[in-house]
């Protein structure tokens, strides 16, 4: 039995209810068991009436004391709270809602409809280090790029750069929408996943801004968006399963983009384009790291999911069967850029380099797939079935 005799006291002096007295009352009541009494002293005008109203609202009982300026509060039933563990649970309950992990939660709150609420669906190792790197490596397209150093380039080179910036920007927008679509579905109990994906969204917004800016900075503006590219990206945006979407975007797509961005940095005709490719590459490496870490986590627990990942690549390949390959806008721009111009000799050099780029992309994709436990034969088939539009 709790001790219900009056022992707890609080002296409000002349502090009134509307001046903050409830702060002291709640602190004092926190030390009183349910049903126990708190002795209150206070001399503010009308305190008895104000205390009676406040007690009714808070679920306590009020009695006037025997002496002048004395009052008594009997502690009513508290709203029950639920202690959540600071450790990551395997399943997150809808009733935990938006409460931070490890907080006390008042029971009886609303249920939220987060559909991704098991650890095995969303988790990854190394989230803390990926997030920390992301937070430390944020850059600004306005502040950190030497826009004044952009030289006047030959027309065909500037046009090739602008076309590639157009292609990059549409891919950045897709890479922004995919994580953004899933964030609101993930239970906040798994906040590290949400935070990492939110950083990814910010990165992609910056990439889209920076690449568009580069196209505009030379005075020529954006090039053409091809139907093939849009069709390919739509299949990525429509993927409903989180793990498959992360596999297609972060492992297959952004993995392929790492090779592309490295190629652009090496073949850039100006320091601005080179730096943009370098900065974007650093960010994309983190996105790929998250994808790999998530897939490792999932596949370690459910090795047969490799089958569904492979099936997703093949399904996407069948949907894109009518799409002949990389859009000619992008291919031609890559060739002219890599060859350094549009003369027959330069085109020959450029075409050879672009063929080498495709081989490197394929090689890196296969290595990543094998790193995730796909056997060599499956890795070859899946890498070959990956969209010809890179993302
Ligand atoms: Fe990006
Ligand atoms: Fe990315």
């Amino acid at each position: 039995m709790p001790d219900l005799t009056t022992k707890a006291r609080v002296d409000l002096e002349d502090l009134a209810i509307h001046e903050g007295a409830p702060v002291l009352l709640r602190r004092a009541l926190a030390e009183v068991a349910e049903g126990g009494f708190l002795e209150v002293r206070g001399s503010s005008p009308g305190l008895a009436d104000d205390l009676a109203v406040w007690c009714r609202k808070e679920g306590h009982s009020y009695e006037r004391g025997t002496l002048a300026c004395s009052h008594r509060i009997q502690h009513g039933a508290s709203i029950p709270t639920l202690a959540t563990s600071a450790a990551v649970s395997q399943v997150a309950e809808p009733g935990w809602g938006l409460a931070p992990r490890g907080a006390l939660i008042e029971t009886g709150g609303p249920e939220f409809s987060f559909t991704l609420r098991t650890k095995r669906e969303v988790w990854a190792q190394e989230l803390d280090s990926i997030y920390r790197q992301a937070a430390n490596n944020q850059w600004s397209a306005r502040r950190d790029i030497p826009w004044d150093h952009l030289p006047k380039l030959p027309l065909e080179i500037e046009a090739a750069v602008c076309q590639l910036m157009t292609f990059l920007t549409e891919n950045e927008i897709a890479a922004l929408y995919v994580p953004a679509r899933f964030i609101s579905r993930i239970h906040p109990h798994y906040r590290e996943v949400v935070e990492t994906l939110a950083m990814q969204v910010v990165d992609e917004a910056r990439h889209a801004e920076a690449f568009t800016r580069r196209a505009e900075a030379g005075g020529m503006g954006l090039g053409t968006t091809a139907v093939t590219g849009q069709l390919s990206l739509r299949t990525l945006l429509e993927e409903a399963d989180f793990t498959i979407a992360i596999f297609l975007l972060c492992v297959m797509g952004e993995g392929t983009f790492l090779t592309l961005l490295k190629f652009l940095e090496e073949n850039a005709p100006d320091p601005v384009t080179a730096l943009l490719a370098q900065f974007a590459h650093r960010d994309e490496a983190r996105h790929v790291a998250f994808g790999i870490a998530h897939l490792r986590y999932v596949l370690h627990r459910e090795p047969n999911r490799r089958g569904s990942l492979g099936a997703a690549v093949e399904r996407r390949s069948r949907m894109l069967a009518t799409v002949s390959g990389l859009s000619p806008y992008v291919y031609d721009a890559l060739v002219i850029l890599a060859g350094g111009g549009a003369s027959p000799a330069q085109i020959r050099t450029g075409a050879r380099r672009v063929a080498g780029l495709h081989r490197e992309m394929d090689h890196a994709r296969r290595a990543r797939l094998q790193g995730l436990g796909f056997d060599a034969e499956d890795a070859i088939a899946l890498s070959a079935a990956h969209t010809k539009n890179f993302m």
Side-chain angles (χ1 to χ4, degrees):
M1 277 288 283
D3 178 7
L4 302 184
T5 55
T6 307
K7 284 202 189 91
R9 284 188 171 74
V10 63
D11 190 349
L12 301 176
E13 300 178 0
D14 60 350
L15 186 70
I17 292 290
H18 71 271
E19 290 177 312
V23 175
L24 294 179
L25 293 169
R26 276 191 289 268
R27 284 166 65 86
L29 282 164
E31 306 299 320
V32 178
E34 246 179 73
F37 290 91
L38 173 70
E39 198 77 44
V40 181
R41 294 189 64 77
S43 59
S44 71
L47 182 62
D49 290 343
D50 289 351
L51 267 179
V53 171
W54 183 80
C55 284
R56 211 166 33 245
K57 203 174 76 199
E58 299 283 314
H60 305 302
S61 307
Y62 170 77
E63 290 169 26
R64 195 182 277 273
T66 45
L67 302 168
C69 300
S70 81
H71 312 266
R72 225 155 73 115
I73 294 175
Q74 186 176 24
H75 198 309
S78 315
I79 299 172
T81 54
L82 179 79
T84 58
S85 146
V88 182
S89 296
Q90 292 300 326
V91 180
E93 298 300 331
W96 294 352
L98 301 169
R101 198 168 66 225
L104 285 173
I105 306 172
E106 283 188 354
T107 55
E111 299 232 325
F112 286 74
S113 54
F114 301 114
T115 50
L116 291 166
R117 57 181 196 86
T118 63
K119 189 178 178 188
R120 62 174 185 82
E121 287 173 295
V122 296
W123 200 248
Q125 306 293 355
E126 300 154 46
L127 285 170
D128 281 347
S129 92
I130 294 171
Y131 180 78
R132 211 173 33 248
Q133 282 177 38
N136 288 339
N137 285 318
Q138 294 294 298
W139 52 278
S140 157
R142 186 179 53 82
R143 207 183 46 229
D144 300 322
I145 305 296
W147 296 102
D148 296 345
H149 296 184
L150 187 65
K152 190 98 198 127
L153 296 171
L155 221 55
E156 70 274 17
I157 300 285
E158 181 62 23
V161 171
C162 289
Q163 180 53 53
L164 290 171
M165 294 301 126
T166 309
F167 173 73
L168 289 174
T169 302
E170 67 207 33
N171 280 273
E172 298 300 347
I173 291 170
L176 182 159
Y177 272 92
V178 173
R181 276 183 65 221
F182 286 102
I183 285 175
S184 63
R185 291 179 45 197
I186 300 173
H187 197 299
H189 183 76
Y190 305 111
R191 66 171 173 77
E192 290 87 341
V193 180
V194 173
E195 289 163 354
T196 302
L197 291 177
M199 275 297 189
Q200 207 159 308
V201 168
V202 172
D203 289 342
E204 308 303 10
R206 186 177 51 241
H207 298 171
E209 178 206 348
F211 291 139
T212 300
R213 220 180 163 116
R214 169 61 191 88
E216 288 163 353
M220 196 171 272
L222 290 163
T224 307
T225 289
V227 169
T228 50
Q230 300 243 45
L231 285 171
S232 176
L233 292 175
R234 193 180 65 178
T235 58
L236 191 59
L237 253 62
E238 287 174 348
E239 178 53 58
D241 179 273
F242 178 68
T243 296
I244 293 177
I246 292 299
F247 175 67
L248 294 177
L249 173 71
C250 300
V251 179
M252 300 298 278
E254 292 176 318
T256 301
F257 258 63
L258 283 183
T259 316
L260 176 65
L261 289 166
K262 188 54 90 196
F263 183 86
L264 288 179
E265 187 189 345
E266 285 163 6
N267 291 282
D270 63 84
V272 168
T273 306
L275 196 59
L276 288 176
Q278 186 195 329
F279 279 2
H281 183 279
R282 191 175 62 187
D283 295 337
E284 294 306 334
R286 277 196 312 274
H287 307 170
V288 174
F290 167 71
I292 301 266
H294 172 63
L295 266 300
R296 283 223 172 100
Y297 186 85
V298 170
L299 294 174
H300 180 69
R301 281 152 192 82
E302 299 168 83
N304 339 341
R305 288 213 68 186
R306 278 190 195 88
S308 70
L309 299 174
V313 174
E314 280 156 11
R315 192 168 58 241
R316 199 171 170 216
S317 169
R318 279 196 303 278
M319 285 166 78
L320 297 172
T322 50
V323 176
S324 53
L326 182 61
S327 101
Y329 303 109
V330 179
Y331 176 78
D332 294 1
L334 281 171
V335 169
I336 290 171
L337 199 74
S343 75
Q346 287 167 321
I347 296 294
R348 181 180 295 116
T349 305
R352 202 177 55 238
R353 288 187 180 151
V354 172
L357 168 68
H358 282 284
R359 279 194 301 277
E360 265 179 62
M361 285 171 164
D362 176 52
H363 182 80
R365 272 197 304 267
R366 281 189 279 134
R368 253 177 229 115
L369 287 164
Q370 286 187 258
L372 288 175
F374 288 89
D375 63 36
E377 214 171 293
D378 286 347
I380 289 170
L382 291 182
S383 177
H386 179 62
T387 172
K388 302 294 171 280
N389 278 281
F390 302 154
M391 183 70 91

